[in-house]
Structures are given as structure tokens and as C-alpha cells.
Amino acid sequence: GEGGASMEGEVKKTEAVQECARRWGEVQYLLRKPPMQAADIERVVSEAKQGIYFLETLDAESQRLGMLRGALSRCVLPYDENTSTLDQANVANGPALQSDLDKVDLGEGVMNRMRDGAIALRGLVRVKIADDNDLDLAAVALKDVVDFFALLKKAAGAGGEEESYKLLRTL
């Protein structure tokens, strides 16, 4: 009856908590700034989703333009492959090089959202963006981050970010 269903729910919740504990070390390593308070969870997930938008748009636009993703990302971003990863993470929304922008046919709105997404990605996870392999690693890292926080939310139950953060602190 009813007792079996809630018992099954508790088992699933316990499994989710154990899975969170197993994955937290890896996600913590990926993040430049792990959550220090409940509100940071929403920031991390939001930045990860911005980064995913950048990567998905980069995939679509590079195919449309017949360019390598790495080459297009260098046109969009306000730094180049010689910029250190720390400097990449701290770059403000400076303009990309105009000569590079002239090569690509992207609307200003798309370009700005891509740049914002790339900057969010660089500020969020410890990956450099120089070539297509780096972009593949970044995609995996962002997916891991989003999946982890979805699992954390599930494991924490109905308590929202406060409960998620309390659980995170026990991992």
C-alpha cells in the first residue's frame, strides 16, 4: 500500500544523495567558484545554461558558416588563444576584434548572447577555450554541472535552494 510507495521514495532519495556525494568532488573541481550560499546554486546553474547556449549556438553557426568551432569562438570572444585561462575568466565584456567580426555573418544580438555565454562559461568552469577539443571538454563539463545540480535538487526534495545548499554542505 501507501507505506511501500513512501519507502520506495526514500530509497530513491537516498540513492540520489549517494550519487550527489559521489559526483560532488568532480563538480567541485570543475567549478572556479563553488556555491558559498544557497543563492549561488541558481547563479551556477544559470551561468552553465548560458555556457550551453554559447556552445549550441557555436555548433549551429559554425556549420552554417563553414568554419571550425574554435575559429568562430575566437571571433566572438574578446581574447585569443594566448590569453591564459585565468585571464579568460576575468575578461570583461570587451569587444571582439573588429577584423574577425567582419569575417562572420552573425547578428549583433546573437553575437552578444554568445559572448555573454562564453564569458559565463569561462568564469564558471576550469576549462580553456582555444580549439574544438577544448569546446568538447567544456560541453561535457557544463553538462556535468547542470546534471549534478538537478540531481542535488531532486535529492534535497521540496525545500528548494536552501535545502539543496544544506545537503551540498554535507557532501
Side-chain angles (χ1 to χ4, degrees), residues 34-44 149 161-162 164-166 168-169:
M36 302 306 278
Q37 58 190 17
D40 290 346
I41 290 174
E42 190 176 328
R43 173 193 55 82
V44 166
F149 284 103
E161 260 141 36
E162 287 298 328
S164 293
Y165 185 67
K166 281 183 195 166
L168 185 64
R169 293 194 50 197

Side-chain angles (χ1 to χ4, degrees), residues 7-103:
M7 180 90 149
E8 191 176 301
E10 280 303 307
V11 169
K12 284 200 182 329
K13 188 173 175 179
T14 302
E15 287 171 1
V17 171
Q18 289 170 343
E19 182 67 9
C20 283
R22 190 182 68 71
R23 293 173 65 180
W24 174 231
E26 179 186 332
V27 169
Q28 197 172 12
Y29 176 77
L30 288 171
L31 294 174
R32 289 186 184 279
K33 293 178 272 189
M36 302 306 278
Q37 58 190 17
D40 290 346
I41 290 174
E42 190 176 328
R43 173 193 55 82
V44 166
V45 172
S46 172
E47 288 177 359
K49 288 180 178 174
Q50 277 186 285
I52 289 169
Y53 168 83
F54 163 70
L55 294 172
E56 288 175 348
T57 306
L58 188 69
D59 281 347
E61 293 298 328
S62 64
Q63 284 181 10
R64 183 179 69 82
L65 296 166
M67 294 177 77
L68 290 174
R69 292 174 301 156
L72 181 56
S73 74
R74 287 189 293 277
C75 293
V76 171
L77 298 170
Y79 49 77
D80 62 29
E81 65 269 17
N82 297 320
T83 308
S84 77
T85 57
L86 190 58
D87 289 341
Q88 284 183 18
N90 291 321
V91 163
N93 270 346
L97 301 171
Q98 189 59 46
S99 61
D100 289 339
L101 286 180
D102 293 340
K103 295 178 199 167

